[in-house]
Amino acid sequence: MTATPAGADRLRALIVGSGFYFPNQLPDGSSFRSLLGAAADAERVAAFVRDRLVVPADRLVVLSATATGVPDQAAPPEPSERWPTYENLVGAFTALTAAVELGDPVLIYYSGHGGRARTAYPELKEADGIDESLVPCNIGDPAARYLRDVELACLLARLVERGADLTVILDSCHSGGATRSMAPGVMVRGLARIDEGPRPTASLVGTREQLGATWRRLATPGRRAIGVETGGWLPDAAAPILLAACREVEEAKETAFDGYGHGGVLTFWLLDTLRRLDPGLTYGRLRDRLVAKVHTQFENQTPVLVGEADRPVFGGLPSLEEPAILVLKSDLANRRLLVEAGQAQELTRGTQLAIYPPGAPSIRDPEGRLGLAELAEPGASESWASLTETFGDRPIEDGALAVVIAPGPRALRRKVRLVGEGPWLAQVATALHAGGRGFVERAAEAEPAEFQVTGAGGRFTILASDGTPVPNQGPPLPTGTAEAAELVARLVHLARFRVVYQIDNPDLRSPLANKVVATVEPDGSTPGAPPSSSPVPLRVGDRFHLTIRNQSTRTLSLAVLNLQPNWRVVKLLPRDEDAFAIESGRSRSWTLVASSLPEGCHEAIDFLKVFATLRPTRFRWLELPPLGSPDRPGSRNIPHNPLEELFAALGADQLATRALLPSLSPGRDWTTATVELRLRRDAGGTA
């Protein structure tokens, strides 16, 4: 049965955050560690559902176990009836199923560890089969049970049979966690081990016959696990939506975010997208933005969507006004405003505000703004904001309204952690100080870092924050003073590449937001077929079609940058001019060829980044040669608008002291769109 979308006003939600795990040990000695961000993620999602979607309390159930980070924590601070134990999880699913009415949108959200255990259902999965599961917080108790995939499939099937318009979001992984060196503050939500120990096999979900009948009806033949990439275990596979944090061979990570605390990478960007409250947001567009944003931090974590990509999120997000913030005091002489919001609302230094007059009929219309401000001194519930720009002659008075248009700025400067011991440490530290050029610097001991460097084996290696080697980083460099300088030059290049990739317009109310759509279809695709998922799979040398649609009400000036696997950034379109134009409501298409891969690389991600502006803009400042090649001469062009000033800052030989994706980024007159291509070289290929 396919439910008719009813809109978020009828949403029901079961939100689970399993952060604290009682002491536990699997037979091989491994254990599920507590996660600092899992319960916080659940509360953030619950707050969004409760406060922004205005879902009544009786339609929202939260199970959570908070890891406080205090040594020797004995138990979660929540009451035991709200802990995510097996019994409480099954009970919550059962109550939710009984309450659901035909057409109700239903959200199931889980943040915590994913686990794997020897199957309790060999008759369904063969004797050596594996059950993938959600891991309850008390799994250390030998009598505790996993919520296994066979049971979860049955619970979800019952919701669909009741008529639920079902969305399942899993910020966890099932392929297992890492045994390699993670940067401090980066954790994996899963284990790379299979629990071979004895566990109770009796299920509270149903009899073995009931569970077996549902599994045989739903599961893809031959599957032995959940299968987040195929959704083979989902009930009525065309009806529910599954959004998973990563592919089956990848890991779901949590880390610390500036001004946010610990949280899952998927959940952070999920909420960042949903808070835009775009009524036209579809699951496909949500997935594409999540992939792009998650890949800015962890290229080997790719969110997966199973289900109809063109369906509206939660049956259709409501068109709500952004909550207004009261201006308590207007100190125009010192160009500052005291606003009634602060850390309690998760506002951080640098948060961008648009100011409207008291009683403004709409705080979504950019034309009604009196000015812009930037949070300078955040307090607990009141904060001072610096007035950065005013529009027109009307003064900003006490009682004016402020609305958040962009979160606090992101640092351009990238942190580098040195891992290991030896004389090379001093060599790299000195080189970072002398040659970091403001783009990279050494991380403090407990500070999150985007890159790691090791000198193991007498040669330098650059690692990502999760401990995986950065791909295509050039010929090996032996440890040494001269080589340390070359290593830092590579780090500067990587930092600049990452920043170019991350550029977007954070103004949530820009009239161009989400108005430029870029799609890629391989040559020979069926006309009218749904757009390919992101990243779009292509072989080196394949022809493909890039289409850009202008859904705004204005003619736009556009350019396309190609961010290549060899860490090169080049303007792809147009080749000879600064930009090309697309009129309102029109589209343009090009036939292109998938670029080559670096030598020795058999698969990599290639990015097409579309910039759209209302005024002609130049992009040469952003171009980079391949990693390891001599830097191109700096552009001598003089920037003529704030966006070009940002590009010029990124292209400068030395990054300015105030190293932020700055307040000049928010604006009404530009936007971006990104398409990812997963390029693969055929075995024996030479391209």
Side-chain angles (χ1 to χ4, degrees):
M1 176 186 300
T2 302
T4 302
D9 57 329
R10 289 182 55 187
L11 181 73
R12 293 184 182 274
L14 170 58
I15 297 171
V16 181
S18 193
F20 175 81
Y21 283 84
F22 287 92
N24 62 89
Q25 188 174 65
L26 302 187
D28 66 357
S30 60
S31 63
F32 293 102
R33 298 168 56 194
S34 291
L35 300 165
L36 292 176
D41 278 346
E43 177 50 39
R44 292 170 184 132
V45 173
F48 175 83
V49 169
R50 181 179 57 246
D51 301 336
R52 300 296 299 279
L53 300 184
V54 199
V55 172
D58 62 352
R59 302 177 76 91
L60 172 63
V61 174
V62 180
L63 301 180
S64 64
T66 298
T68 62
V70 175
D72 301 321
Q73 180 183 351
E78 295 87 350
S80 59
E81 63 270 19
R82 290 299 179 189
W83 293 351
T85 63
Y86 173 86
E87 292 78 10
N88 289 345
L89 285 165
V90 175
F93 267 103
T94 302
L96 176 62
T97 302
V100 163
E101 298 178 354
L102 179 65
D104 280 350
V106 171
L107 168 64
I108 306 296
Y109 170 87
Y110 175 78
S111 173
H113 278 301
R116 302 190 295 170
R118 187 62 58 197
T119 185
Y121 304 95
E123 69 274 20
L124 302 178
K125 299 187 178 184
E126 306 172 3
D128 63 344
I130 296 170
D131 292 337
E132 294 184 352
S133 65
L134 309 185
V135 183
C137 66
N138 63 337
I139 198 63
D141 183 345
R145 290 168 278 190
Y146 293 102
L147 184 58
R148 299 173 185 258
D149 50 9
V150 173
E151 298 173 298
L152 187 57
C154 190
L155 292 169
L156 298 179
R158 291 171 183 170
L159 284 167
V160 171
E161 289 164 2
R162 290 277 296 180
D165 179 12
L166 182 61
T167 297
V168 181
I169 300 175
L170 301 177
D171 197 350
S172 61
C173 61
H174 299 273
S175 62
T179 56
R180 58 181 176 271
S181 172
M182 289 281 177
V186 179
M187 300 185 71
V188 171
R189 293 179 167 181
L191 272 181
R193 301 289 188 270
I194 298 172
D195 187 350
E196 302 277 4
R199 292 282 177 184
T201 58
S203 173
L204 297 181
V205 177
T207 65
R208 296 187 76 87
E209 291 74 18
Q210 291 170 330
L211 296 174
T214 301
W215 184 263
R216 292 186 182 96
R217 175 166 57 88
L218 301 177
T220 303
R223 289 212 64 83
R224 299 195 299 174
I226 279 182
V228 296
E229 293 182 65
T230 64
W233 54 279
L234 283 171
D236 291 346
I241 292 290
L242 170 65
L243 181 62
C246 59
R247 298 189 297 164
E248 292 178 8
V249 297
E250 297 175 335
E251 300 158 345
K253 301 177 182 71
E254 75 165 50
T255 188
F257 296 88
D258 289 341
Y260 181 87
H262 276 265
V265 179
L266 174 79
T267 301
F268 177 86
W269 291 113
L270 171 72
L271 290 175
D272 178 80
T273 303
L274 292 179
R275 284 179 179 132
R276 296 169 184 262
L277 284 175
D278 176 8
L281 183 66
T282 64
Y283 283 106
R285 285 172 51 200
L286 173 63
R287 181 267 324 278
D288 289 346
R289 187 172 192 271
L290 290 177
V291 169
K293 293 300 183 181
V294 170
H295 278 178
T296 65
Q297 295 174 282
F298 301 104
E299 187 176 319
N300 57 351
Q301 178 179 337
T302 304
V304 174
L305 174 70
V306 178
E308 299 173 4
D310 58 352
R311 285 174 59 188
V313 172
F314 303 152
L317 290 173
S319 181
L320 298 178
E321 292 282 7
E322 185 82 13
I325 299 169
L326 183 65
V327 175
L328 298 172
K329 182 177 181 180
S330 176
D331 181 6
L332 295 182
N334 294 300
R335 295 189 63 80
R336 63 177 191 161
L337 307 171
L338 181 64
V339 297
E340 192 178 29
Q343 296 162 348
Q345 290 77 29
E346 297 188 352
L347 300 186
T348 61
R349 186 175 182 273
T351 297
Q352 305 297 307
L353 304 172
I355 312 301
Y356 289 84
S362 173
I363 53 174
R364 295 179 65 93
D365 182 9
E367 297 295 339
R369 295 176 180 177
L370 299 179
L372 299 176
E374 178 178 313
L375 214 65
E377 302 173 28
S381 58
E382 297 180 1
S383 305
W384 283 103
S386 299
L387 194 59
T388 58
E389 191 172 358
T390 56
F391 309 125
D393 299 327
R394 187 172 178 181
I396 298 174
E397 304 172 344
D398 297 353
L401 303 177
V403 60
V404 174
I405 60 171
R410 298 189 297 272
L412 294 180
R413 187 171 292 120
R414 297 307 196 242
K415 301 293 185 177
V416 179
R417 183 169 309 285
L418 308 185
V419 180
E421 297 180 350
W424 65 268
L425 282 169
Q427 297 166 357
V428 177
T430 300
L432 279 170
H433 181 74
R437 297 165 52 184
F439 287 94
V440 291
E441 65 182 11
R442 187 174 182 178
E445 184 174 347
E447 193 174 20
E450 184 156 345
F451 300 108
Q452 301 183 79
V453 170
T454 176
R459 67 178 186 179
F460 290 124
T461 303
I462 302 174
L463 309 174
S465 59
D466 62 356
T468 57
V470 170
N472 309 316
Q473 58 183 272
L477 291 172
T479 55
T481 301
E483 290 78 10
E486 170 60 24
L487 171 77
V488 170
R490 293 184 184 184
L491 287 166
V492 169
H493 187 113
L494 293 171
R496 293 171 67 174
F497 183 97
R498 292 281 180 89
V499 170
V500 172
Y501 178 84
Q502 290 178 349
I503 294 173
D504 66 1
N505 188 343
D507 187 341
L508 309 185
R509 295 293 173 252
S510 166
L512 297 186
N514 302 315
K515 298 303 183 183
V516 172
V517 178
T519 57
V520 162
E521 290 302 324
D523 195 28
S525 298
T526 303
S532 298
S533 62
S534 180
V536 180
L538 292 170
R539 295 171 301 177
V540 170
D542 280 354
R543 289 157 54 93
F544 65 93
H545 308 287
L546 170 66
T547 299
I548 301 175
R549 296 193 301 277
N550 175 7
Q551 298 180 164
S552 77
T553 59
R554 304 279 297 276
T555 296
L556 297 179
S557 178
L558 300 101
V560 181
L561 300 187
N562 184 198
L563 285 69
Q564 299 176 352
N566 60 357
W567 307 102
R568 181 190 184 200
V569 179
V570 61
K571 188 159 72 70
L572 181 66
L573 296 170
R575 298 188 185 278
D576 300 319
E577 304 295 330
D578 288 329
F580 58 88
I582 300 181
E583 296 177 346
S584 172
R586 306 296 293 272
S587 64
R588 288 186 63 177
S589 297
W590 297 262
T591 299
L592 304 170
V593 177
S595 62
S596 61
L597 289 171
E599 184 177 353
C601 177
H602 297 283
E603 183 174 322
I605 299 293
D606 191 285
F607 306 98
L608 301 179
K609 190 174 185 75
V610 180
F611 286 85
T613 64
L614 290 178
R615 67 182 85 180
T617 301
R618 294 162 295 177
F619 298 88
R620 296 294 181 187
W621 291 284
L622 301 182
E623 292 188 301
L624 290 170
L627 183 64
S629 300
D631 275 348
R632 55 169 175 72
S635 173
R636 297 181 181 275
N637 291 330
I638 298 174
H640 294 298
N641 58 58
L643 188 58
E644 287 189 350
E645 290 175 8
L646 171 61
F647 296 165
L650 299 181
D653 291 334
Q654 183 76 26
L655 187 62
T657 302
R658 189 176 181 220
L660 299 173
L661 272 180
S663 55
L664 59 85
S665 295
R668 301 177 50 212
D669 58 356
W670 69 282
T671 190
T672 65
T674 302
V675 180
E676 297 194 5
L677 313 177
R678 186 177 296 277
L679 302 186
R680 179 173 55 84
R681 191 200 310 269
D682 284 338
T686 58

